Amino acid sequence: MSIDSIKQLAQAYAPETVQVRRHIHANPELSFEEHNTAAYVKQELATYGIEAESMANTGLVALIKGKNPEKKTIALRADLDALPIVEANEVAYKSKNEGVMHACGHDVHTASVLGTARILQELRKEFEGTVKLVFQPGEEKFPGGASLMIKEGVLQNPAPASMIGQHVFPMLPAGKVGFRSGMYMASADEIYITVKGKGGHAAMPEMNIDPVLIASHLIVALQQIVSRHASPKVPTVLSFGKVEAKGATNVIPNEVKLEGTFRTMNEVWRKEAHQKIKQLAEGLCASMGGSCDIDIKFGYPFLQNDPAVTSIARKAAEAYLGTENVVDLDLWMGAEDFAYYTQQVPACFYRLGTRNEERGITSGVHTPTFDIDEAALETGIGLMAWVALQELEG
Ligand SMILES: [Zn+2]
Ligand SMILES: [Zn+2]
């Protein structure tokens, strides 16, 4: 099968993919509430002759069987959910669901996998193997739809040999894509600490155990975890974005609450770091006469792109778009639940450029003005189809 035949199909289906994206964009639903979106996707797939099954409540899974379908299976993933953001774009396809917005491009991902599915379904007599389509709920909300889909068996019957995910990237112009082999995105855990002391009149510190002072030392001391315990070769971030002491100018409170995030790119170090954070917090608070409750909630794991799968996908992209349109991605300390799949199956998560400087399409994801250059959709569907076929052959 030639690249040109894929490009022709991508061009032919691009206008309808734009309409599909606009429909999903105008009708966003929050994480784990994607009932109408899932019904719409299921119905779209049916019009292409693809039967989908529900999974994880609002998720869907479907198969496109080529010749010799047992030979190899690869999976393509899209996410269905939107964010609790009021859309500020004045566009024909503006969100009709006030306060909910596809501000992370999951409308684009869903429309792209649908367009890709249409191309592959048309070509199914020309390739060997099976393409599994995964439409998952709840990427934006813990515990992540990916973890639920895995629990419900999305990686079995048939088990994919590799998995591909595509995500919008507003820093990269439409028409370009980005890849990174190996570690790419961070794990993200939430830290909740309550520092306990003994409150009282601020003029009589000798009568109190000041949790504000203890918490201040603790925030500084915990940075040692990053600077002295983390290997310089493993990216690590510890940030406290919320500090709450409900005292007054003349009142020392009983307790101070700290909330933060811990991010890294190594699962062994991640667990070690949790222990070190707990030990240091408990020890430091005790040494200053106080105590603390500490709770670290595991979020998504770190995202690792398999070198072999990524190499095939990248070479496919270079052939499809030209080497000048394929860039290296930097490490990214954001988190993404596609990481759950990458812990189970060799996978590649790549970025689809959606920026258009001239038209002022530059806003970041998770902002009220996020939008895409829809020219990216033609690239998205054709490239993903080509990558899927190369992975089936690879
Ligand atoms: Zn997001
Ligand atoms: Zn996203």
Side-chain angles (χ1 to χ4, degrees):
M1 202 168 329
S2 71
I3 283 188
D4 284 337
S5 57
I6 303 279
K7 283 188 177 170
Q8 278 167 17
L9 288 171
Q11 196 180 19
Y13 295 148
E16 283 169 62
T17 304
V18 168
Q19 294 314 312
V20 167
R21 181 259 165 169
R22 290 183 174 195
H23 176 88
I24 298 170
H25 188 90
N27 298 280
E29 293 173 293
L30 290 173
S31 306
F32 304 112
E33 296 172 16
E34 309 91 338
H35 297 280
N36 295 331
T37 309
Y40 175 77
V41 169
K42 190 169 185 171
Q43 179 200 321
E44 269 300 303
L45 288 169
T47 66
Y48 316 154
I50 302 169
E51 199 185 327
E53 271 178 45
S54 291
M55 187 176 276
N57 198 21
T58 49
L60 293 167
V61 62
L63 299 176
I64 302 172
K65 292 185 176 176
K67 291 179 295 180
N68 194 5
E70 319 288 308
K71 190 179 167 194
K72 185 175 186 182
T73 298
I74 63 117
L76 306 178
R77 175 269 205 168
D79 37 13
L80 300 167
D81 57 327
L83 288 157
I85 291 177
V86 179
E87 176 155 23
N89 296 310
E90 289 307 329
V91 288
Y93 48 91
K94 183 176 181 172
S95 169
K96 292 185 214 163
N97 187 1
E98 174 82 19
V100 184
M101 176 186 173
H102 270 293
C104 199
H106 298 185
D107 52 341
V108 179
H109 310 159
T110 300
S112 292
V113 172
L114 281 172
T116 302
R118 204 170 168 190
I119 293 171
L120 293 173
Q121 171 75 355
E122 188 157 327
L123 298 174
R124 69 191 183 282
K125 296 202 169 64
E126 297 178 44
F127 66 82
E128 286 194 298
T130 297
V131 176
K132 187 177 246 191
L133 309 172
V134 176
F135 296 90
Q136 66 154 81
E139 191 285 321
E140 299 285 2
K141 195 169 177 182
F142 197 76
S147 71
L148 305 183
M149 295 290 278
I150 292 169
K151 261 188 210 137
E152 295 202 10
V154 77
L155 299 180
Q156 282 133 42
N157 301 320
S162 61
M163 190 152 188
I164 303 293
Q166 175 177 257
H167 200 292
V168 298
F169 202 44
M171 318 237 277
L172 197 62
K176 292 184 188 278
V177 292
F179 289 85
R180 187 177 184 95
S181 192
M183 61 184 172
Y184 173 41
M185 292 177 72
S187 56
D189 304 320
E190 294 179 350
I191 304 176
Y192 298 88
I193 303 174
T194 303
V195 176
K196 295 174 171 176
K198 182 172 161 288
H201 201 298
M204 287 156 245
E206 76 281 16
M207 311 285 286
N208 311 323
I209 297 164
D210 183 356
V212 178
L213 184 66
I214 299 173
S216 306
H217 277 281
L218 185 56
I219 290 169
V220 175
L222 283 172
Q223 289 306 321
Q224 287 177 42
I225 306 285
V226 180
S227 72
R228 300 292 86 179
H229 294 286
S231 161
K233 287 171 258 177
V234 180
T236 302
V237 168
L238 176 62
S239 296
F240 285 93
K242 188 169 175 186
V243 178
E244 186 185 87
K246 289 187 171 169
T249 55
N250 55 358
V251 178
I252 302 288
N254 277 321
E255 60 180 37
V256 173
K257 288 188 190 300
L258 307 177
E259 293 182 16
T261 181
F262 177 78
R263 291 164 186 250
T264 189
M265 295 191 182
N266 177 300
E267 293 299 310
V268 175
W269 158 238
R270 179 189 186 191
K271 292 187 190 88
E272 261 175 49
H274 286 196
Q275 285 317 110
K276 290 197 186 298
I277 290 168
K278 283 180 186 165
Q279 276 169 10
L280 197 153
E282 283 162 4
L284 186 137
C285 291
S287 77
M288 296 182 74
S291 64
C292 72
D293 290 340
I294 177 159
D295 184 21
I296 305 180
K297 288 189 166 39
F298 277 91
Y300 300 161
F302 92 106
L303 191 154
Q304 175 151 345
N305 282 323
D306 179 76
V309 174
T310 305
S311 166
I312 293 170
R314 186 180 179 130
K315 282 190 188 122
E318 286 174 350
Y320 193 90
L321 298 170
T323 47
E324 68 281 12
N325 290 316
V326 179
V327 305
D328 291 318
L329 294 170
D330 219 338
L331 293 170
W332 193 255
M333 294 310 286
E336 158 68 53
D337 85 343
F338 188 80
Y340 283 113
Y341 304 118
T342 74
Q343 302 283 331
Q344 309 262 333
V345 63
C348 173
F349 187 72
Y350 67 89
R351 295 285 187 167
L352 177 71
T354 52
R355 185 184 189 88
N356 187 323
E357 200 96 25
E358 276 167 29
R359 289 174 48 206
I361 301 170
T362 57
S363 292
V365 292
H366 292 219
T367 69
T369 51
F370 172 73
D371 202 357
I372 65 153
D373 178 348
E374 289 176 319
L377 287 161
E378 186 178 329
T379 310
I381 63 175
L383 175 62
M384 201 179 220
W386 182 243
V387 167
L389 294 173
Q390 299 315 110
E391 296 287 350
L392 278 175
E393 278 181 19

